[in-house]
Amino acid sequence: MDSKVLHLVRHGQAFHNVQGEILLQMRSSWKIFLDGRWRRLTLKHILRAFRCLWLLLCCIVSPAPPRPSSSPAAVMPIYYEHADASLTATGWEQAEFLHREFRISGLRDRVELVVVSPLTRTLQTASGIFGGGNFTDTTDQLAAPLMVDNVGRCPRPAISSANSPPFVALELCREKLGTMPCDQRSPRSKSEIQFPGIGFSNIEQDQDELWKPDRRELEEELDKRARAFLEWLWSRGEEEIAVVSHAGFLTNLVTKFGDEAVNKTVFANCELRSVRLRKIVTGSDYAFELTAA
């Protein structure tokens, strides 16, 4: 085996993404009025303002579950209040669109393994893309649901695991660790109930002991974790693997290990990029390289 094909996918839109966009748009709107540019407002600016109000309304009518006042998120800005943020309705639509694209192209049938970050938004996205559609007790008696119904803040019917590749949750490909509650995963025991068709045997601790409320993972630590992730992938027997992860981790991965032809821009929600993983041996040492697939 001289290479593997990796299909890298960022999760669909989640609630922390929405509130981040609201803050950016509100800051942009205030600048327009403060510096006098309101005189040059166009239809595009007005539509953007209405979009901002619509996103804000969506967050208001989909309130987060109550959090104890002692929680680290209780003293964080609004953007970071969503511990282990789940998908929005738009995020589910993005996952379902990619699910259809994968089926039409035949890519879904070629994927031998789905490796997914153990955060809710990535588990939901992976289930939506690579799952077997809506689960029904009558038609799926031989296959357990990949995901049960009503997971997260945007209810969705259960998803079947019928005719799906195996799923493995892995800490190595989760988002940059620390300080932001949206990047703190739920207990493994909870995720195992919500996603019975996904394997969690590689998640050693029930509680998230990697995430720290007062310390963000350093770049060099993220680089080391990304290399360990490629080591793990290379040790697997599968030759075509899907990875469902996050913008920070995936962008770091392609930036540090991608060659000149690999797109190194930040991943959009539910964006797919396919790359080829190679192990380059030089004497007694070796390195990993990602090339365009």
Side-chain angles (χ1 to χ4, degrees):
M1 177 184 62
D2 64 345
S3 67
K4 295 175 181 282
V5 175
L6 308 180
H7 302 290
L8 309 178
V9 181
R10 183 191 175 190
H11 62 80
Q13 184 197 70
F15 279 93
H16 71 298
N17 298 136
V18 173
Q19 291 202 342
E21 184 175 348
I22 289 173
L23 291 182
L24 289 174
Q25 293 194 16
M26 288 178 67
R27 184 171 61 183
S28 175
S29 299
W30 276 112
K31 285 183 177 179
I32 288 174
F33 281 97
L34 289 176
D35 63 14
R37 283 182 293 160
W38 60 270
R39 299 182 184 90
R40 302 192 301 274
L41 285 178
T42 64
L43 179 61
K44 183 178 76 171
H45 295 109
I46 296 172
L47 290 176
R48 190 170 67 176
F50 276 108
R51 173 175 166 77
C52 179
L53 291 174
W54 172 252
L55 292 173
L56 184 61
L57 177 63
C58 288
C59 285
I60 292 173
V61 299
S62 301
R67 302 180 57 80
S69 59
S70 59
S71 165
V75 295
M76 300 291 277
I78 185 172
Y79 175 47
Y80 304 122
E81 73 178 9
H82 300 285
D84 196 7
S86 59
L87 293 186
T88 63
T90 296
W92 276 116
E93 291 173 0
Q94 292 168 338
E96 289 164 1
F97 174 81
L98 210 52
H99 171 84
R100 292 191 297 271
E101 291 294 304
F102 276 20
R103 292 188 72 93
I104 293 171
S105 67
L107 190 152
R108 183 177 178 274
D109 296 329
R110 301 199 308 268
V111 169
E112 303 169 70
L113 177 70
V114 178
V115 184
V116 56
S117 159
L119 275 74
T120 297
R121 56 189 181 272
T122 42
L123 295 169
Q124 289 176 312
T125 302
S127 300
I129 294 173
F130 296 100
N134 288 350
F135 175 86
T136 61
D137 293 334
T138 56
T139 60
D140 295 285
Q141 293 178 356
L142 300 180
L146 191 59
M147 184 192 81
V148 300
D149 57 2
N150 298 324
V151 174
R153 291 171 57 186
C154 188
R156 192 204 181 284
I159 296 175
S160 171
S161 63
N163 302 315
S164 296
F167 288 68
V168 174
L170 197 68
E171 299 269 32
L172 286 173
C173 63
R174 59 185 292 183
E175 185 58 293
K176 196 171 184 179
L177 298 166
T179 68
M180 297 186 182
C182 57
D183 297 330
Q184 180 182 21
R185 70 166 172 83
S186 298
R188 182 189 64 195
S189 54
K190 177 182 177 181
S191 297
E192 287 175 327
I193 294 173
Q194 294 181 327
F195 301 91
I198 295 178
F200 290 90
S201 60
N202 288 288
I203 309 298
E204 297 180 359
Q205 305 294 331
D206 185 49
Q207 299 297 320
D208 188 0
E209 298 185 8
L210 297 176
W211 183 90
K212 306 298 181 185
D214 56 353
R215 184 181 184 277
R216 191 70 169 162
E217 187 176 21
L218 300 176
E219 283 298 319
E220 52 265 33
E221 294 172 326
L222 182 59
D223 294 347
K224 184 178 179 180
R225 178 157 64 88
R227 180 184 170 89
F229 177 61
L230 294 181
E231 292 269 12
W232 186 90
L233 290 175
W234 192 258
S235 71
R236 300 286 306 189
E238 299 87 359
E239 296 186 9
E240 194 152 356
I241 301 173
V243 177
V244 183
S245 184
H246 308 263
F249 180 81
L250 291 175
T251 304
N252 173 276
L253 194 70
V254 297
T255 299
K256 299 298 181 181
F257 298 95
D259 68 4
E260 295 179 356
V262 172
N263 183 356
K264 296 181 175 65
T265 58
V266 176
F267 279 68
N269 285 124
C270 236
E271 180 182 356
L272 163 70
R273 296 183 200 172
S274 297
V275 296
R276 190 171 292 275
L277 171 64
R278 302 181 189 276
K279 185 176 182 178
I280 311 299
V281 179
T282 54
S284 60
D285 198 9
Y286 64 90
F288 289 108
E289 182 183 58
L290 299 177
T291 61

